[in-house]
Amino acid sequence: MQDPDSGKTGAGVIGEQDPSSKLYYEGNVDDSTVQEVVIQQPQNSSGETDPSALYAGQKNITARKIYNALETYVKDSNGKTYYWSNLKDANGNDVHFGVFVRINGIRIGDTFFGFLNEATGEYDKTLDEIPSDATEIKISASYRLSEGSAWKDYADITYTLKRNRIFILNRRLTEDDKNTQFDNGILLNPYDDTNFDPDDESAIIDLYSYQRDLLGEERLSALFPGWLEDGKLIPWMYHPAGRHVIEPADMVPLGDNYTAQVKIRWYDTDTGAVTRSQDDAADGLAVVSLDETEPDLPVSAPQFSITQKFIYMQTLTGYEGDPGSVLEVPKYVQAVDMGTENTLHEVDYIKIPDTVLYVNTKNYSEQPEGTQTAVKGITVKKGYIVDADSTAYAATADGILTNADGGAYLGIPYDMIELTVPENVEKVMLRERNYVVPENVQNVFVDVCAHRLALRPQARVEGVAAKQVLEEIMTKIKPAHTEE
């Protein structure tokens, strides 16, 4: 697809938005009243990228694209500014471009490309592409103050190229799109925010955060596998140069038992580690941040590392029903964090795919005033199972969840009563409490007491089991309220 129409830049801080600046018409300025003619790369003090900016790897370069990427204006001796724009008259003819300013050509390295078609006298020749490794071009331009006057050469303009232009789309391209032009309706990033210096290895495009624009924040019925370039999945933290068109992969259906939605997480650009909130990160600068997808998280000014940035991840927050002995987290889930909406509070094993970068291993109870106790998290009784291709996690032979290199024990199976920590393990995360709450008694009551209960012969004849009796008792007894 072709780049979107770039429009025409204003004249910087004294450009189109300035009330003292006006459109140029013949007679505004002549040779005796002209103070300054300016044809230059826009001077943007904010550092943002104008949509008309030229970039390395850009295709189909015309004289008009070059003109659009320049500030073009004239000042008279009274300090008034008159700018040359993309204005057209009632017949569709240019009022300024080619009339008062023309672009003769550009020089890239030692090669000059002219836009003038010698056969027609029109400036309609097109340069196929600016090399992807080019850092600047020289622009040859001319101007005149009246249509009848001779053209005057303007000093060659040095234009520093943006190092890339990334088009992130909200749908897959079709055959019908091939010869059309991008418009803002298909672009998730119609303007800037994806430009950086490709020579800076720490510079990345965060494709996680575009998930919210693509998927929304409601419950997901399908999972998003990631972003494609030329039909292949690319890294979520991407480091490209030049021109790139990035499309969303096709969604993968999600079983009705699973509850998942896009939620904020925190990503460390140095280590790649993902945490649930700013509080979980290392000490650093303090900021105030409101997480609208996690209203239960604190929004005061927590301490977090200067390398932390928030991203959006597809998060498994609940499961309804009985998964059997193993809860299998679907591929393409990126975070596991069971919330209060979760009805599955314990499982023997949990199987984690390689797409998961964050697992909340905590399990705790909350009882807001006047409400019933809500259990958050999930208790993993026997062990964690981790995909061998995971870059974030691993698991020991006895089911302990570790980080990728095994140097930290992050999740200890609940049924494990004795733990031997090898010398290479530098960190062990244990459950926050070391005492029993009523829910713990409920979890083991039936199994512990069933063999101690002696039933009458009549009950045995009627097929009543000890476990059945105990379960009925449990449903009628409300546990005492505890605060952790």
Side-chain angles (χ1 to χ4, degrees):
M1 292 185 74
Q2 301 174 15
D3 287 10
D5 283 332
S6 61
K8 178 79 171 88
T9 64
V13 296
I14 55 170
E16 299 183 30
Q17 306 305 317
D18 193 301
S20 65
S21 300
K22 302 180 183 298
L23 285 171
Y24 182 86
Y25 291 101
E26 187 167 329
N28 288 141
V29 182
D30 58 31
D31 288 338
S32 64
T33 60
V34 63
Q35 180 187 62
E36 183 182 21
V37 173
V38 175
I39 304 175
Q40 66 180 9
Q41 184 170 5
Q43 307 299 303
N44 191 329
S45 60
S46 69
E48 295 178 355
T49 303
D50 191 279
S52 62
L54 302 174
Y55 60 89
Q58 189 170 4
K59 299 179 183 295
N60 303 315
I61 306 302
T62 63
R64 183 179 291 278
K65 282 187 178 179
I66 301 295
Y67 173 73
N68 285 351
L70 296 170
E71 287 180 345
T72 50
Y73 60 94
V74 58
K75 295 177 67 174
D76 68 11
S77 54
N78 294 319
K80 291 184 179 180
T81 301
Y82 303 92
Y83 59 89
W84 291 305
S85 71
N86 259 334
L87 183 68
K88 293 182 182 292
D89 62 20
N91 298 318
N93 298 314
D94 283 298
V95 173
H96 295 137
F97 174 60
V99 178
F100 299 108
V101 179
R102 70 183 187 186
I103 306 300
N104 303 319
I106 60 175
R107 183 175 299 280
I108 306 173
D110 295 329
T111 303
F112 181 81
F113 180 87
F115 292 107
L116 178 65
N117 186 325
E118 300 290 348
T120 64
E122 300 291 332
Y123 288 85
D124 60 3
K125 294 180 69 176
T126 300
L127 175 66
D128 291 338
E129 181 178 5
I130 296 176
S132 59
D133 60 351
T135 58
E136 68 176 28
I137 59 175
K138 300 285 187 180
I139 300 172
S140 171
S142 303
Y143 73 95
R144 59 186 180 182
L145 301 177
S146 62
E147 290 191 58
S149 61
W151 289 98
K152 297 181 180 180
D153 289 336
Y154 195 86
D156 282 356
I157 305 141
T158 299
Y159 193 106
T160 302
L161 299 167
K162 292 296 178 183
R163 297 299 305 276
N164 63 1
R165 180 63 171 100
I166 311 301
F167 298 100
I168 303 176
L169 312 187
N170 60 21
R171 65 169 175 83
R172 296 287 295 276
L173 295 177
T174 66
E175 285 295 319
D176 294 338
D177 291 320
K178 284 189 174 178
N179 297 316
T180 59
Q181 193 173 52
F182 288 119
D183 61 46
N184 288 352
I186 192 176
L187 293 175
L188 293 176
N189 63 330
Y191 298 109
D192 48 13
D193 78 5
T194 55
N195 287 280
F196 58 81
D197 182 357
D199 296 330
D200 179 2
E201 291 297 330
S202 66
I204 52 177
I205 296 174
D206 167 21
L207 294 177
Y208 284 106
S209 292
Y210 286 99
Q211 289 190 113
R212 185 171 77 160
D213 296 329
L214 186 71
L215 305 177
E217 295 179 12
E218 301 301 319
R219 178 172 175 172
L220 298 173
S221 60
L223 293 174
F224 177 50
W227 302 93
L228 302 174
E229 186 169 18
D230 299 327
K232 298 180 180 179
L233 286 172
I234 58 176
W236 288 88
M237 293 295 182
Y238 200 32
H239 183 88
R243 183 183 192 268
H244 295 259
V245 178
I246 297 175
E247 307 169 71
D250 294 333
M251 301 292 288
V252 176
L254 178 65
D256 293 338
N257 297 86
Y258 296 97
T259 303
Q261 68 183 110
V262 174
K263 286 186 173 288
I264 286 177
R265 291 294 174 266
W266 288 83
Y267 179 88
D268 192 300
T269 55
D270 278 353
T271 66
V274 178
T275 55
R276 184 173 190 263
S277 70
Q278 309 99 311
D279 286 327
D280 294 333
D283 289 342
L285 298 180
V287 298
V288 177
S289 177
L290 174 62
D291 183 350
E292 64 274 19
T293 71
E294 291 277 11
D296 60 311
L297 292 183
V299 293
S300 57
Q303 300 291 316
F304 76 102
S305 167
I306 194 172
T307 62
Q308 288 277 320
K309 63 172 293 180
F310 72 81
I311 61 177
Y312 291 91
M313 285 186 150
Q314 297 172 99
T315 304
L316 181 65
T317 60
Y319 186 89
E320 300 170 3
D322 181 8
S325 62
V326 180
L327 172 62
E328 187 161 347
V329 178
K331 189 174 179 65
Y332 305 124
V333 164
Q334 295 158 335
V336 178
D337 192 1
M338 299 297 197
T340 53
E341 67 271 31
N342 177 45
T343 59
L344 178 66
H345 300 311
E346 66 176 28
V347 69
D348 285 344
Y349 296 93
I350 185 169
K351 188 174 182 180
I352 301 169
D354 62 337
T355 56
V356 170
L357 297 183
Y358 173 78
V359 177
N360 187 354
T361 59
K362 298 178 181 178
N363 182 310
Y364 54 98
S365 300
E366 290 183 347
Q367 186 173 26
E369 185 175 351
T371 65
Q372 194 173 20
T373 299
V375 178
K376 303 188 70 174
I378 184 169
T379 296
V380 179
K381 298 172 66 178
K382 298 187 182 301
Y384 296 82
I385 304 169
V386 178
D387 190 292
D389 292 330
S390 174
T391 60
Y393 294 106
T396 65
D398 48 0
I400 298 171
L401 181 69
T402 76
N403 61 349
D405 65 9
Y409 280 4
L410 306 176
I412 311 297
Y414 187 76
D415 287 354
M416 183 174 287
I417 59 175
E418 183 176 337
L419 176 64
T420 301
V421 181
E423 290 185 1
N424 67 299
V425 174
E426 299 178 350
K427 179 180 181 181
V428 177
M429 292 182 62
L430 297 174
R431 298 168 73 90
E432 290 184 344
R433 56 179 170 80
N434 59 0
Y435 54 88
V436 176
V437 296
E439 288 82 1
N440 299 136
V441 177
Q442 285 180 309
N443 291 339
V444 300
F445 175 73
V446 173
D447 291 334
V448 171
C449 296
H451 70 283
R452 300 177 182 270
L453 184 64
L455 298 177
R456 292 177 180 176
Q458 182 181 350
R460 291 197 295 269
V461 170
E462 292 175 355
V464 176
K467 285 189 175 183
Q468 180 183 347
V469 174
L470 294 171
E471 287 170 352
E472 289 179 0
I473 294 173
M474 288 294 296
T475 61
K476 297 177 181 179
I477 298 177
K478 184 178 179 180
H481 169 61
T482 60
E483 293 186 4
E484 299 188 15

